[in-house]
Amino acid sequence: MMFKKIFIEERVLEHEVTRRIRNKYPQAATEIIENYSDWFGRVRKPYLEKRDNLFLYLATKQGELVKPAPDAYGTPGEPHYYFLHSYNCIYECEYCYLQGYFQSPDIVLFLNYDDIFAAIADTGKKHNGKVWFHAGEFSDSLALNHLTGELPRMLAFFRAHPQFQLELRTKSANIAALLREQPAENLFVSFSISPDKYTRTIDRKTAPLNARLRAAAQLAQTGYSIGFHCDPIIYSPDAKKNYHELALLIKEMIGINAVAYISLGALRFAEESYRAARANYPESIMFLDEFTRGSDGKIRYPRPLRQMLLKETESAFLEVGFQKEQLYYCMEV
Amino acid sequence: MNLFVFSHRPEASIFLQEHAYRTAPIMTERFYLADDRALLITGEHPIEIAARVSRALAFLGDNCSQVYHFGLALILEKFFVSNQPIAEIRICYGADGKNLWQKSFSLGTANGTDLISSSQRIRSLEDFIFFRRLAALADRETYAIAMACDEFGLRLRSAKYLIENSDAIESCRQIKNQAEQIAYELFQYAQNFTQSADAREENLSVPDGFYFTHSMRLKYRELLHILQKKYNLNTDEVLARGGMAEIKKQKLTPKEKGLHLLDALQRLLNPELYEIRRKYEESLAPLRNAGWKIDAAQSLEQGVLILSGKIANRHEQISMAQALLEYQDKSNDV
Ligand code: SF4
């Protein structure tokens, strides 16, 4: 991966991460700017430019740093928030909703970690029990952690606040930094997975399924809490068989009891992302079935099809020995 | 037909010589037609450009399938530009002074160079620094042309002769020899460039004995495409699986045969979903027979029964109420 240009906000010019990244990419042209938002997304940059014309912004995030997660986003019955530490992703999953979300695929890394942690602490104070904080709503939580070096500080903050549950959600196997850290019960690493035939075709540039599962196994052995997201589930007549095999793999490699939760979510798109995905990947195997507009405005499989798909996937996990309490439907209407 | 757009006459000179153009009935000073192509000289003010390209496209209507623009561009950032004299454009951004236009246009050359069209001339160092953050090249006209094309659902392709200094653009246009040389190089370049991009819509043949309206035709094309890919079959194999031969033998009008074929292809797309819908429709039949109007697709999607009805007399009231009482929701049986 190579950034063609690096935009650096003046106030993070001397930041350790800025220095590290500039050393790592000495050939990249750099521009010093006042505020990333004057440039990032100001004009629409086509999504597929991320392949060979990717810019990086090193910036500070002002305004809202922690946001409530949408309904039915995480494990039911507990408050969920996500915090903003970066925008966009180096991977290229064909269904990624980011392709319709920002005006640009360029990567933004926010380096004002202390402000972000302060905002998390403030939000967490409003709740008595467990509160979830998800990293990676607008990016992959771990894909670039070797560049940012943000994990040690992030984990230290959450270790000091055991009532806050941190979820790092990833399709990478970039766990070296995690293995060097002290795990804790409130530190969850979750892997988004699909049957191998999908991870190989539509999760472009991500870690292969086996690498993700091996990473999960290593982290579980080290003491991290592990979650899985079977999301998006793509329809095929042999979906149940495929998820049965996937459930068996998880059972063998990680063990049923080491898995804190598994979310199940059928393929769906926000309208903008649907249009973008159809334009970016017109031949994708995702589009070999019919879609309709759900009552929430999202583009989904027709309801009978997605209900059938979710039930079949759920029963594939139950048959292998996972418990109903470990499974939940994500963003389903 | 292809439309070739230039902002100035010097760049168009060889193109005009090499084809038997005649003056068009509109914009006679600047718009020319040949058998398989048209050529427009727009001038360089963005508003004029957008208006003139739009007028030409409206005149050509469905005959125009592709628009090309050739011209000059200023190099803002050498680092991102190859050593060739002509660059194809990948994305075009637009700016009015320092205000950037939100929309950008992809011009279809995946490994081309990015360009920003500025409504004002880029002369100062400050301008160079500002604009090169977005793009390696600059001009005044491409954005307006791309915008007009976009309005007509056409994609623009563009190649630019590269100039290093903004004053040189004016001199190139004024010094005859240089202008001719540039026009010649652009013309040469255009020969390959236009051929490689001549992507015409593939002809879709409707099977004999079947009739499709426009919307049925679109559906047919979509279903064929998906089914070929889904089952790895060619068109004939898809149609055979859809039972085309049997449908053809039936005593139906060509349009009815078309509808049956679409239905068969839809079933092939997802037999399970088709079956669910069929059963659901079956369960609704008594309600429909009793006079209820039902939005089956939305009812199934939302898991509620969406119906409306008109009751004119006591008899209808009883039979419609009876049908409702007897109705059993099958939508949740999957
Ligand atoms: S890993 Fe996540 S954020 Fe990255 S491209 Fe895939 S879906 Fe998008």
Side-chain angles (χ1 to χ4, degrees):
Chain A
M1 184 225 357
M2 166 61 192
F3 297 110
K4 211 157 186 187
K5 216 176 239 195
I6 303 177
F7 288 77
I8 305 168
E9 278 187 359
E10 272 165 16
R11 54 194 150 207
V12 295
L13 204 49
E14 297 306 323
H15 197 286
E16 50 174 304
V17 176
T18 307
R19 271 199 233 121
R20 187 179 319 135
I21 289 177
R22 288 182 88 170
N23 285 338
K24 190 162 165 64
Y25 298 106
Q27 325 82 307
T30 51
E31 297 280 353
I32 314 300
I33 53 174
E34 211 173 293
N35 194 322
Y36 84 100
S37 60
D38 293 340
W39 293 96
F40 171 76
R42 278 290 304 281
V43 292
R44 201 186 70 80
K45 181 171 175 180
Y47 182 71
L48 294 184
E49 289 297 296
K50 71 193 290 183
R51 290 182 182 163
D52 50 12
N53 185 25
L54 193 63
F55 295 174
L56 171 68
Y57 290 80
L58 300 174
T60 50
K61 174 87 180 94
Q62 312 296 322
E64 224 181 350
L65 301 171
V66 176
K67 293 187 178 186
D71 287 345
Y73 179 80
T75 47
E78 287 158 345
H80 290 266
Y81 294 89
Y82 55 82
F83 57 93
L84 302 169
H85 64 135
S86 60
Y87 288 162
N88 281 323
C89 182
I90 51 169
Y91 300 144
E92 206 195 303
C93 306
E94 292 180 357
Y95 46 80
C96 181
Y97 89 103
L98 294 174
Q99 62 195 310
Y101 193 81
F102 293 117
Q103 295 283 331
S104 162
D106 292 336
I107 308 268
V108 185
L109 298 177
F110 297 118
L111 306 185
N112 51 329
Y113 304 131
D114 290 339
D115 298 340
I116 297 170
F117 298 147
I120 293 173
D122 274 355
T123 308
K125 266 191 232 148
K126 293 178 199 146
H127 299 275
N128 283 327
K130 271 190 196 170
V131 197
W132 285 85
F133 293 96
H134 304 266
E137 173 65 6
F138 295 113
S139 56
D140 184 286
S141 307
L142 295 182
L144 288 179
N145 83 73
H146 56 291
L147 269 189
T148 61
E150 66 191 341
L151 276 181
R153 292 164 90 169
M154 196 187 286
L155 299 193
F157 171 83
F158 279 94
R159 275 195 299 262
H161 296 84
Q163 74 282 24
F164 300 167
Q165 317 290 298
L166 167 68
E167 187 194 48
L168 299 165
R169 196 180 275 214
T170 191
K171 288 195 184 93
S172 78
N174 194 4
I175 57 165
L178 285 172
L179 294 175
R180 285 194 295 270
E181 287 293 312
Q182 181 67 38
E185 258 184 33
N186 64 330
L187 304 180
F188 290 76
V189 184
S190 67
F191 292 82
S192 300
I193 49 169
S194 318
D196 196 34
K197 81 169 180 187
Y198 296 116
T199 48
R200 273 189 286 116
T201 49
I202 60 176
D203 287 5
R204 297 175 184 223
K205 301 180 186 161
T206 60
L209 175 64
N210 245 310
R212 287 183 224 174
L213 294 180
R214 272 201 309 273
Q218 263 181 295
L219 290 173
Q221 277 158 17
T222 317
Y224 286 95
S225 303
I226 299 298
F228 287 102
H229 300 285
C230 292
D231 195 357
I233 302 173
I234 292 172
Y235 174 80
S236 79
D238 53 0
K240 179 154 185 194
K241 177 179 145 281
N242 293 334
Y243 277 92
H244 196 268
E245 284 166 10
L246 185 59
L248 277 174
L249 264 181
I250 297 176
K251 182 181 172 182
E252 277 163 24
M253 292 177 72
I254 293 113
I256 289 178
N257 293 332
V259 176
Y261 53 82
I262 300 172
S263 77
L264 308 175
L267 178 65
R268 64 201 172 274
F269 298 92
E271 175 145 9
E272 279 295 311
S273 307
Y274 178 74
R275 272 199 252 124
R278 278 228 103 120
N280 292 332
Y281 310 103
E283 298 299 321
S284 172
I285 51 171
M286 297 185 300
F287 297 125
L288 296 183
D289 261 288
E290 198 182 318
F291 291 92
T292 188
R293 186 184 299 278
S295 53
D296 59 350
K298 290 217 164 58
I299 311 294
R300 299 168 178 273
Y301 291 132
R303 189 160 170 268
L305 196 62
R306 59 179 197 267
Q307 283 189 338
M308 182 170 67
L309 194 55
L310 288 168
K311 282 188 183 155
E312 283 184 351
T313 315
E314 185 179 24
S315 66
F317 277 94
L318 294 175
E319 282 165 19
V320 165
F322 287 90
Q323 300 301 302
K324 210 163 171 58
E325 301 69 53
Q326 288 174 291
L327 303 166
Y328 71 95
Y329 288 173
C330 179
M331 311 283 277
E332 188 45 42
V333 290
Chain B
M1 171 178 275
N2 294 333
L3 170 65
F4 292 83
V5 180
F6 299 83
S7 56
H8 298 92
R9 195 169 289 271
E11 288 111 66
S13 57
I14 309 287
F15 289 77
L16 278 168
Q17 280 165 28
E18 293 292 321
H19 291 279
Y21 282 108
R22 57 192 185 279
T23 306
I26 58 164
M27 299 189 283
T28 50
E29 299 285 278
R30 54 183 69 253
F31 189 30
Y32 306 92
L33 301 174
D35 286 348
D36 61 342
R37 64 191 61 210
L39 189 151
L40 175 72
I41 297 167
T42 58
E44 74 166 23
H45 193 283
I47 294 174
E48 284 173 353
I49 296 172
R52 287 172 179 156
V53 174
S54 301
R55 202 168 166 213
L57 290 176
F59 175 82
L60 296 172
D62 285 347
N63 292 329
C64 183
S65 55
Q66 177 74 52
V67 183
Y68 294 99
H69 163 57
F70 298 96
L72 308 183
L74 171 68
I75 299 176
L76 297 174
E77 173 128 69
K78 264 192 146 171
F79 186 65
F80 294 135
V81 179
S82 73
N83 287 329
Q84 304 302 318
I86 293 176
E88 291 176 27
I89 305 305
R90 171 168 55 184
I91 303 172
C92 176
Y93 299 103
D96 182 17
K98 294 259 164 75
N99 291 325
L100 301 172
W101 298 111
Q102 174 76 52
K103 197 161 177 163
S104 64
F105 299 101
S106 291
L107 304 197
T109 303
N111 50 2
T113 310
D114 297 348
L115 171 142
I116 184 158
S117 296
S118 161
S119 58
Q120 283 144 34
R121 284 196 197 290
I122 297 175
R123 289 195 195 279
S124 68
L125 181 62
E126 195 201 337
D127 287 347
F128 265 73
I129 292 173
F130 183 83
F131 287 114
R132 73 154 195 232
R133 285 178 176 156
L134 268 180
L137 302 175
D139 73 355
R140 297 193 70 192
E141 61 270 17
T142 307
Y143 192 83
I145 303 169
M147 188 183 236
C149 292
D150 190 56
E151 289 296 322
F152 283 80
L154 290 167
R155 181 180 269 187
L156 172 70
R157 300 201 70 215
S158 173
K160 293 287 201 169
Y161 190 90
L162 306 181
I163 306 283
E164 282 200 36
N165 165 342
S166 55
D167 291 331
I169 292 190
E170 274 323 291
S171 2
C172 287
R173 285 181 177 139
Q174 278 153 22
I175 304 166
K176 195 159 178 285
N177 286 346
Q178 215 168 339
E180 254 173 33
Q181 179 58 28
I182 291 172
Y184 183 73
E185 292 205 28
L186 283 173
F187 179 76
Q188 288 292 352
Y189 195 88
Q191 303 315 304
N192 283 334
F193 184 56
T194 53
Q195 264 165 26
S196 65
D198 234 353
R200 296 266 155 77
E201 200 185 271
E202 144 219 6
N203 269 339
L204 181 79
S205 63
V206 173
D208 248 11
F210 290 77
Y211 171 77
F212 291 147
T213 62
H214 180 65
S215 61
M216 286 165 71
R217 209 181 147 85
L218 292 178
K219 186 80 193 157
Y220 176 63
R221 180 203 304 272
E222 188 195 344
L223 283 169
L224 263 190
H225 181 72
I226 299 181
L227 290 168
Q228 285 170 348
K229 208 167 151 50
K230 187 165 184 169
Y231 298 113
N232 201 12
L233 300 172
N234 64 31
T235 306
D236 291 343
E237 290 166 335
V238 170
L239 292 175
R241 268 213 205 176
M244 188 187 77
E246 290 74 41
I247 297 171
K248 199 172 171 179
K249 279 187 220 147
Q250 290 175 24
K251 281 204 172 111
L252 297 167
T253 66
K255 187 173 172 190
E256 284 168 341
K257 286 182 188 171
L259 286 167
H260 274 62
L261 182 58
L262 288 182
D263 191 53
L265 295 179
Q266 186 73 45
R267 162 186 244 152
L268 205 53
L269 180 65
N270 192 318
E272 285 172 294
L273 183 59
Y274 185 92
E275 203 38 37
I276 290 167
R277 282 183 173 142
R278 196 191 56 74
K279 280 196 187 142
Y280 187 56
E281 274 297 335
E282 227 171 65
S283 75
L284 296 177
L287 287 172
R288 289 198 205 279
N289 294 340
W292 290 107
K293 287 196 169 46
I294 302 162
D295 184 339
Q298 274 310 307
S299 298
L300 198 53
E301 182 52 41
Q302 294 181 23
V304 292
L305 187 62
I306 305 171
L307 43 69
S308 60
K310 242 200 254 164
I311 301 172
N313 53 47
R314 177 94 182 127
H315 171 73
E316 281 181 8
Q317 183 186 4
I318 292 170
S319 70
M320 288 169 87
Q322 192 70 32
L324 271 184
L325 284 174
E326 283 166 14
Y327 169 71
Q328 301 221 328
D329 185 8
K330 298 268 194 316
S331 66
N332 288 318
D333 285 358
V334 287

